[in-house]
Amino acid sequence: MQVSVIILAAGQGTRMNSDLPKVLHHVAAAPMLHHALATAHSLEPSRIVVVTGHEGQAVAASATAYSEAVDCVVQDPQLGTAHAVAQAAPLLADVEGEAVVLYADTPLIREETLRKMLEARSRHAVVILGFHAKDSGRYGRLLTKNSNLLAIREYDVATEAERAITLCNSGVVCAEASLLLSLAAEVKDNNPKKEFYLTDIVEIARARGLSAGVVLCDEAETLGVNTRAQLAEAEAAFQTRARAEMLENGVTLTAPETVFFALDTHIGRDAIIGPNVLFGPGVTVESGSEIKGFCHLEGCHISRGASVGPFARLRPGAELAEDVHVGNFVEIKNAILDEGVKVGHLTYIGDADIGEHTNIGAGTVTCNYDGVMKHRTRIGKRAFIGSDTMLVAPVTVGDGAMTGSGSVITEDVPAEAVAIGRARQVTKPGLATRMFEKLKAVKAAKAKGQ
Ligand code: UD1
Ligand code: CA
């Protein structure tokens, strides 16, 4: 089945009280717009059109950053949801099959729900996604008779009796693409707000002798974000759902309610995630690895059998091969750690390649930045970096080499060599006792003087 998706993202979002366009605010470390795009992509559509308006360039840039295959069209001025859909018409003139309308400020709609709507198209020409609202507020009300949808009544124009209806419009619409566009083109702005309401297409379709129907979903799924409070609610709802899905997929979460996932987090079966772990964008964790408590991860890959944390920070470009161990208070950025590397404690590894089974001692720092440029540190296989080594990049340490503890390594270390870059130790017998006596005498003299 051919499907096109139209994502409405032109609204200003005044109630967010923000300089950022509403649809670029984040839920689960991704702009809300990307949630709509991800849902759209799950339908494997032949075309996706994003209707932009307010801060259109920023919104379009975010859409194309998600996927080059997305088309954007500008709606200016913004005269309502039907007017927004109509802007997509030139881009959809030649398409066949179904069209689905999504809102970019409604990030929690699921693929299964849209599939149910597409299925319901065999019974109705226009299918609307509805829900039973706990508080119907200003949602459009669905006027139904048996299994037929008669009309959608916007709150502003609804009678008292209609306002009492709790079956509400989510905004998601499904119809044959050419029909949807011709219905949207017929909508008039004869309402107090002088807006072209997409919701009017139901009555227009019925006047043409076509039928309309409703598919129901949970209210949580249609949560629309208009305020920061609703943004926080959407975040919480996303996390609740993501945690349940992870558990279902065979990931152990010892304290699920304290773990936060991103829209694109991938975790393999039998991974174990401890408490208070935060996944930023772009993290993949393979099966059978363990992330201990209080880790902060973004843009990184953790392979099978690796263990990370507690209290580790993996930043973009951190790639951990199989059985790597990263311990507490370790930060890794833009670095490749080959199989079996151990970085146990208190270490910064940035812009580095580390060969298999190398051990990095506590307190090691790759000094990757000279104040102007970044440089790379290369360490071979089975090397041993002594505790508190400063590796001043660009620098290379060969296979099987060692550095002495406390060394500042500024020159390359050949394979199998030991490099020591620190002052030689001086030991003075008895000096400590004499110094203690002297200091105590100074202290006593001071006390007397007071
Ligand atoms: C809309 C529905 C209402 C439904 C509610 C669900 C209409 C007329 N009303 O109302 O029945 O219960 O959503 O949340 O459709 N947009 C544009 N261009 C415009 C106007 C809006 O792109 O000219 C976009 C907005 O960015 C937003 C979406 O369309 O993503 C919905 O617009 P909004 O103004 O929030 O509609 P509601 O009044 O909430
Ligand atoms: Ca809204």
Side-chain angles (χ1 to χ4, degrees):
M1 187 203 305
Q2 279 226 52
V3 183
S4 301
V5 182
I6 304 171
I7 298 175
L8 304 192
Q12 182 174 4
T14 320
R15 286 197 285 152
M16 294 297 284
N17 190 13
S18 174
D19 290 335
L20 190 68
K22 176 165 79 172
V23 300
L24 297 188
H25 281 265
H26 282 199
V27 168
M32 284 195 277
L33 174 64
H34 290 196
H35 289 253
L37 286 165
T39 313
H41 265 277
S42 70
L43 298 177
E44 294 167 26
S46 46
R47 205 160 299 183
I48 299 178
V49 178
V50 176
V51 181
T52 69
H54 182 75
E55 295 278 350
Q57 276 183 346
V59 175
S62 175
T64 35
Y66 181 89
S67 163
E68 292 279 341
V70 174
D71 287 316
C72 294
V73 64
V74 181
Q75 180 200 20
D76 185 24
Q78 290 112 47
L79 302 177
T81 44
H83 180 252
V85 167
Q87 307 310 302
L91 287 167
L92 296 174
D94 58 330
V95 306
E96 294 189 352
E98 303 298 313
V100 174
V101 179
L102 297 177
Y103 292 173
D105 63 357
T106 307
L108 301 171
I109 303 278
R110 292 178 312 143
E111 175 191 351
E112 296 91 295
T113 303
L114 299 182
R115 295 219 179 265
K116 265 194 226 163
M117 291 180 73
L118 289 165
E119 201 184 286
R121 273 273 301 106
S122 61
R123 301 185 292 279
H124 301 285
V126 175
V127 177
I128 298 291
L129 183 63
F131 63 100
H132 288 285
K134 271 192 214 80
D135 169 10
S136 316
R138 302 185 64 84
Y139 286 119
R141 306 299 206 262
L142 301 185
L143 314 190
T144 54
K145 189 173 179 193
N146 304 323
S147 65
N148 287 310
L149 177 62
L150 305 180
I152 306 176
R153 196 67 80 230
E154 284 308 290
Y155 180 84
D156 290 331
V157 295
T159 64
E160 276 310 310
E162 287 167 345
R163 285 182 182 179
I165 294 170
T166 57
L167 180 60
C168 291
N169 175 29
S170 71
V172 182
V173 179
C174 176
E176 195 184 18
S178 55
L179 175 67
L180 175 75
L181 296 174
S182 91
L183 293 171
E186 241 185 79
V187 170
K188 302 275 185 303
D189 64 349
N190 50 2
N191 53 62
K193 280 194 179 163
K194 288 272 164 245
E195 276 192 22
F196 297 88
Y197 289 157
L198 185 61
T199 44
D200 286 350
I201 65 170
V202 170
E203 280 166 292
I204 297 170
R206 287 182 58 84
R208 290 192 198 175
L210 300 168
S211 83
V214 181
V215 163
L216 288 177
C217 72
D218 279 351
E219 181 167 10
E221 207 176 320
T222 66
L223 177 70
V225 174
N226 299 306
T227 62
R228 304 258 183 180
Q230 286 168 334
L231 186 70
E233 256 181 74
E235 179 73 44
F238 177 93
Q239 297 302 341
T240 303
R241 183 193 288 175
R243 289 164 192 151
E245 278 172 11
M246 290 291 176
L247 295 169
E248 185 70 23
N249 294 342
V251 176
T252 293
L253 306 176
T254 47
E257 66 286 358
T258 66
V259 177
F260 292 82
F261 298 103
L263 174 61
D264 62 355
T265 305
H266 287 288
I267 303 184
R269 212 161 76 113
D270 288 323
I272 299 172
I273 314 295
N276 296 292
V277 175
L278 188 137
F279 291 88
V283 179
T284 49
V285 179
E286 289 183 12
S287 292
S289 44
E290 181 169 10
I291 314 292
K292 294 177 182 157
F294 298 94
C295 288
H296 190 289
L297 316 174
E298 58 183 317
C300 60
H301 178 82
I302 297 161
S303 303
R304 186 179 286 271
S307 89
V308 176
F311 297 101
R313 178 164 183 216
L314 302 188
R315 292 171 51 206
E319 286 191 33
L320 278 49
E322 292 187 12
D323 302 321
V324 163
H325 168 65
V326 169
N328 47 209
F329 307 109
V330 170
E331 174 179 344
I332 298 180
K333 183 214 74 167
N334 188 27
I336 296 169
L337 279 57
D338 287 345
E339 196 179 319
V341 165
K342 289 191 169 62
V343 192
H345 339 258
L346 299 160
T347 289
Y348 174 61
I349 301 291
D351 303 310
D353 302 288
I354 303 182
E356 59 190 47
H357 300 292
T358 281
N359 188 96
I360 308 287
T364 295
V365 173
T366 53
C367 309
N368 60 326
Y369 186 48
D370 59 16
V372 179
M373 285 175 293
K374 300 276 171 70
H375 303 282
R376 217 158 170 90
T377 299
R378 293 185 173 82
I379 304 175
K381 304 172 190 172
R382 294 175 204 282
F384 183 90
I385 305 300
S387 293
D388 200 29
T389 297
M390 300 293 119
L391 295 154
V392 182
V395 73
T396 298
V397 176
D399 292 348
M402 270 189 184
T403 67
S405 301
S407 288
V408 179
I409 302 295
T410 54
E411 288 164 23
D412 289 353
V413 182
E416 294 176 28
V418 176
I420 304 167
R422 65 179 187 222
R424 197 169 264 288
Q425 181 170 328
V426 180
T427 308
K428 309 219 167 175
L431 181 59
T433 309
R434 293 198 299 281
M435 279 186 68
F436 280 134
E437 277 163 7
K438 207 168 159 184
L439 290 168
K440 280 177 193 156
V442 171
K443 191 178 178 188
K446 266 193 178 172
K448 223 176 175 183
Q450 273 172 1

